[in-house]
Every structure is written in C-alpha cells, then in structure tokens.
Amino acid sequence: MFFPVEPVPALAYSGLFRTRRFGLFVHWGLFALEGWHEQVQWRREIPAREYQKRQARFCPSRFSAQEWLDVLQEAGMEYLCFTTKHHDGFCMWDTQTTDYKITNTPWGKDPLKALAQECARRRVALSLYYSYPDWHCPYSLNFGGDHQLAVPNPGDRPNLVKYLAYLRKQVRELCTQYGPLAQFFWDIPSGLNIPSINEEIRRLQPEIYINNRGFGPGDYATPERCVPEGGAFHHLTEACQSVGRRSWGYREDEDYFSPGFLIRSMDRIFAMGGNYLLNVGPDALGQIPPQACALLREVGQWYRRCREAIVGAAPAPGFCRNPEVMLTRKKDVLYAHLPQGAISSAFTLEPLAILPLRTTLLNTGEELQASVKLIPEFFQNGPCLFVEGLPLEKLKDTVPVVKLEFPRGTLDQEAAMPQEGWNAQVY
C-alpha cells in the first residue's frame, strides 16, 4: 500500500509542479541486455549469481547525455527522472557502497554524472528514482513482499538494520554528489514509517519534492498507467506512463502506444492539475529506441502548441458541466480541453453564458466562432456558450484545446459554480 500524501500549504505550490509539468522518465540498467522487461530477473526466475554475470557484458558505448537531453527538449519536456537503482540492485552511478555498479563494467563511466552536468547546463530539472526492493544486496529483505524474491539468494543474510544503513549511505551519495535535485522518486513502498530518512533527504536537498512510495507520507502522489477520475486533483500528483505497453525498460519487440492514446491521457492529467512523467527504456548500448523518439516528438508537438493551457494554468471544473470538456484557467482566460478528441465540430460550455472576446484553437492557431445561444442539450437550463467550427480533419488522433479570452473580471463575477481541487486558485 502507498502512504497517503499530506496536503502542502498553498504557498508551496510552485517550482516543479507549476512551471515544469511534463517530464521524461528513463528506466535503464542491466536488464536492457535482455531486451524483455526491467524485472526479467524476477519474472524469469534467473538465479542472482547468473544474472550478475551480465555486469561483465554491459558496455553502453553509445550512451550520450547530450542526445538524451536533445530528445527531452525536442519533446518540450522540462525535467528528467532517472532510475539510479531498480529492483535488481544494480547501481547506475559511481557508488562507494558496492561493486555492483555501472562504473565497474567494461564501459566504466558514470552516466548520472554526465546527465546531471548536462541538465545543469540546459537548466533542466533532475529527479532521481530509487527502488526499495534490492535483489542483490545480501542484507535486503528480498522475500515475502511486493516485487521481491520468493526466497533469499543463497548466502544472503537478510538484516533490516544493515540494509537501511546501506540504503541511507546510497541516498546520501545521490543527494550530495549530483547537484540540485527536483524530486526523489521512491519505488515499491516498504510499509515502514521512518521519518528520519525523508527528513535527511530534505536537509540535504531543501527544495526537493518526495513522492508517496517511501518511508512515510510524501509531497505528491504517483498514479501509474492510469488516469484517475475527477475534475481536479486535491493533492500534488504526478502520473507516470511508458511509451510501451509491456515494459518500462527496453523491450526489443515493444508494443508501443499510439500518439493519440498518450495525448488523451496526458491532457486529462494536465487538466486535473497533475504533472505527467512519460517513460522510455534505452537499449543496452544506451540509445533511446527510434520508435520511442518518434512518439516523443509527436506528443511533444501537441504539448508545445497547447503548453500555455497547462503551465501556470489551474483546473477550473466549476465553470462547465459538459462531461466532454475539461477546463483550465489563467485569470480572465479559460482553456477548453477535449480529452476524448474532437467528437464533433462544436461543443457547449453549459451553464457558462459569457461571450469571450476571442476564441482560438491552440492546436492550429486559427480562430473559432463562439456565441451564447440556446442549444437542445439534455442538461441545459438556458442559453450557454457555444463554440463551433472545429476543423475535424486537422484534429484526428489528437486533443483539441481552445483558448477563450473573456472581458476583465467577468469570470469572477459570473462563475457558475465554485471551483474544486487543491489548485483551483488563479495563478
């Protein structure tokens, strides 16, 4: 089970969760050699000693932090979350706690150092993922729990106190050797409430956000591969999804999602006030697969065009009862999101009955026609705002976002219903 998220004071809603809304998740490690799944050791019951031999074959000679950041920025993404240690326990940085690390391979380099330097150079926020399960460390309680081995490895000496000491040393390295961190992304909750672990992370990285999968309540929730129901999140939320349906790590014959599916998922999360972390799995040479790059470029084109309706905009579900429409707001501007896609060439914003000064389709930049009129809708009680002229042929397999600019102060005066959610405030 996940720990709950403690509400954060309104003044804390800044930084990452306001100015950086779209991030790149990267699952990379020894598992890339198999080209099957990031949990291949567990799912295929590969003995630990056999799996560890892959360390001698791991040589990602084509890894380039510059190329990864090029892909990220081409997609319009604003931060990076990197897997420092997945469940297999293999460390993707130059840790001093174990020899089971990427700098102890034929390649011998520290990719996290290169990524941290490149992120700093480009002013891209860096976040770190860290798995609590560890199928390699002899002290880890690697049995009987979520994503853990059925029985300990031969020769293991499970000891919670020693494992937590090992974990703390690794976390201190990560928080002191790679510059400012935006987030710490724990994975697979331990079920242990140990406040001092998160407290030390905050002491070392005062501006950091910590998710709710660690050793106590965190700052934000992390729904995975799903879109929660509702009009607005009541807590900081970062949804994560992968470009591939079967794996988070590199999969040779991955079943990739369509751009339309990802854009619809993204838009619903954004309209509810959440961040979106979209994952890729680089191959064993360190390259992001071409299919993944193409998907990022396509969803990135949509994000760039519609970004103003997301970054700095607050969910505004109280202005409209039409279930096909989700709204975000910046002062006197509403943005109408149609996360199901363009079902028809027009839509209503019932019961809102204010005529905007200008109505623009962000996807193309063209102006649309808006009027206040009586429309035969089942849920309509009187005249409402009616937007028409959506160019359906140009909106296939994407999500339309329409910008509606209203006379100053009219939205505050005539809002139909009270706003909902933690971030219903006007930014």
Side-chain angles (χ1 to χ4, degrees):
M1 59 178 290
F2 291 173
F3 286 101
V5 176
E6 291 183 343
V8 181
L11 291 177
Y13 292 123
S14 59
L16 184 76
F17 284 88
R18 178 172 169 182
T19 61
R20 302 176 189 267
R21 303 291 302 279
F22 188 26
L24 179 66
F25 209 175
V26 178
H27 275 65
W28 192 41
L30 279 185
F31 45 79
L33 286 165
E34 302 299 312
W36 190 73
H37 194 277
E38 74 279 359
Q39 298 169 14
V40 62
Q41 178 185 354
W42 181 50
R43 292 178 180 242
R44 287 188 164 175
E45 299 182 345
I46 301 173
R49 289 182 180 177
E50 176 64 30
Y51 184 81
Q52 291 159 22
K53 293 177 182 177
R54 289 151 176 77
Q55 182 175 359
R57 295 193 286 113
F58 194 40
C59 189
S61 57
R62 295 184 184 175
F63 165 79
S64 168
Q66 293 85 358
E67 289 181 7
W68 283 21
L69 269 291
D70 286 346
V71 170
L72 177 150
Q73 291 190 315
E74 190 175 357
M77 292 166 155
E78 296 130 335
Y79 63 102
L80 170 70
C81 186
F82 179 70
T83 49
T84 63
K85 185 192 78 165
H86 210 266
H87 311 333
D88 62 5
F90 186 73
C91 297
M92 297 295 288
W93 80 98
D94 189 23
T95 179
Q96 300 306 303
T97 62
T98 177
D99 290 333
Y100 199 48
K101 59 182 179 178
I102 193 165
T103 50
N104 195 24
T105 65
W107 188 54
K109 299 178 183 179
D110 185 342
L112 181 54
K113 181 179 180 180
L115 289 168
Q117 291 174 343
E118 192 66 15
C119 283
R121 188 178 73 83
R122 304 194 193 201
R123 297 184 179 180
V124 171
L126 176 63
S127 302
L128 301 182
Y129 165 108
Y130 185 95
S131 166
Y132 171 73
D134 188 316
W135 302 330
H136 175 79
C137 179
Y139 304 126
S140 179
L141 275 66
N142 276 326
F143 56 96
D146 189 15
H147 287 77
Q148 294 180 347
L149 305 178
V151 296
N153 296 313
D156 280 1
R157 304 178 301 281
N159 184 306
L160 180 61
V161 173
K162 289 185 177 181
Y163 180 60
L164 289 179
Y166 173 80
L167 176 148
R168 285 177 184 269
K169 288 179 182 178
Q170 292 197 332
V171 169
R172 280 195 293 271
E173 287 181 346
L174 294 170
C175 289
T176 58
Q177 297 178 12
Y178 296 96
L181 302 178
Q183 296 165 285
F184 202 91
F185 191 116
W186 294 106
D187 199 17
I188 310 301
S190 65
L192 301 172
N193 187 15
I194 308 175
S196 61
I197 295 179
N198 279 357
E199 287 171 3
E200 183 167 16
I201 293 175
R202 296 187 199 284
R203 180 179 64 79
L204 298 172
Q205 294 280 342
E207 303 299 319
I208 203 165
Y209 290 88
I210 302 174
N211 78 343
N212 66 331
R213 302 188 188 189
F215 293 88
D219 302 316
Y220 66 99
T222 53
E224 184 174 311
R225 288 196 185 273
C226 68
V227 180
E229 295 295 326
F233 292 117
H234 290 264
H235 301 282
L236 292 178
T237 299
E238 178 189 66
C240 51
Q241 174 64 277
S242 186
V243 295
R245 188 170 188 174
R246 307 300 171 189
S247 177
W248 294 80
Y250 174 65
R251 180 174 172 82
E252 189 173 7
D253 56 349
E254 183 58 274
D255 177 9
Y256 287 95
F257 286 115
S258 71
F261 170 83
L262 292 174
I263 292 170
R264 288 190 293 273
S265 169
M266 290 166 56
D267 187 65
R268 184 169 288 278
I269 294 295
F270 288 142
M272 293 175 69
N275 279 17
Y276 201 89
L277 191 56
L278 186 56
N279 175 79
V280 296
D283 63 22
L285 292 176
Q287 296 179 305
I288 300 174
Q291 304 96 315
C293 291
L295 264 176
L296 293 183
R297 280 193 292 270
E298 191 154 351
V299 301
Q301 289 176 2
W302 173 87
Y303 181 71
R304 286 180 179 278
R305 292 174 183 141
C306 301
R307 185 176 183 273
E308 73 166 89
I310 298 161
V311 176
F319 284 93
C320 176
R321 287 200 293 260
N322 184 348
E324 297 174 5
V325 180
M326 299 182 75
L327 295 176
T328 55
R329 179 186 178 188
K330 289 181 181 176
K331 297 184 179 179
D332 297 309
V333 178
L334 286 179
Y335 299 93
H337 303 246
L338 305 177
Q340 300 177 51
I343 297 175
S344 66
S345 60
F347 62 92
T348 64
L349 288 169
E350 196 273 342
L352 188 65
I354 310 169
L355 190 65
L357 299 172
R358 186 178 295 105
T359 304
T360 309
L361 177 64
L362 293 183
N363 306 65
T364 63
E366 58 195 277
E367 290 200 22
L368 302 179
Q369 181 177 343
S371 57
V372 175
K373 61 174 68 174
L374 188 66
I375 302 295
E377 297 274 19
F378 285 112
F379 50 78
Q380 186 175 11
N381 297 316
C384 69
L385 182 56
F386 184 68
V387 178
E388 55 188 316
L390 289 172
L392 298 182
E393 286 300 314
K394 298 179 183 179
L395 297 173
K396 290 182 178 179
D397 208 27
T398 191
V399 170
V401 181
V402 178
K403 178 180 181 179
L404 302 116
E405 302 172 70
F406 292 91
R408 185 175 181 178
T410 54
L411 291 178
D412 291 328
Q413 296 170 9
E414 301 187 40
M417 291 177 282
Q419 304 263 338
E420 299 175 359
W422 61 265
N423 49 4
Q425 59 186 321
V426 178
Y427 290 151

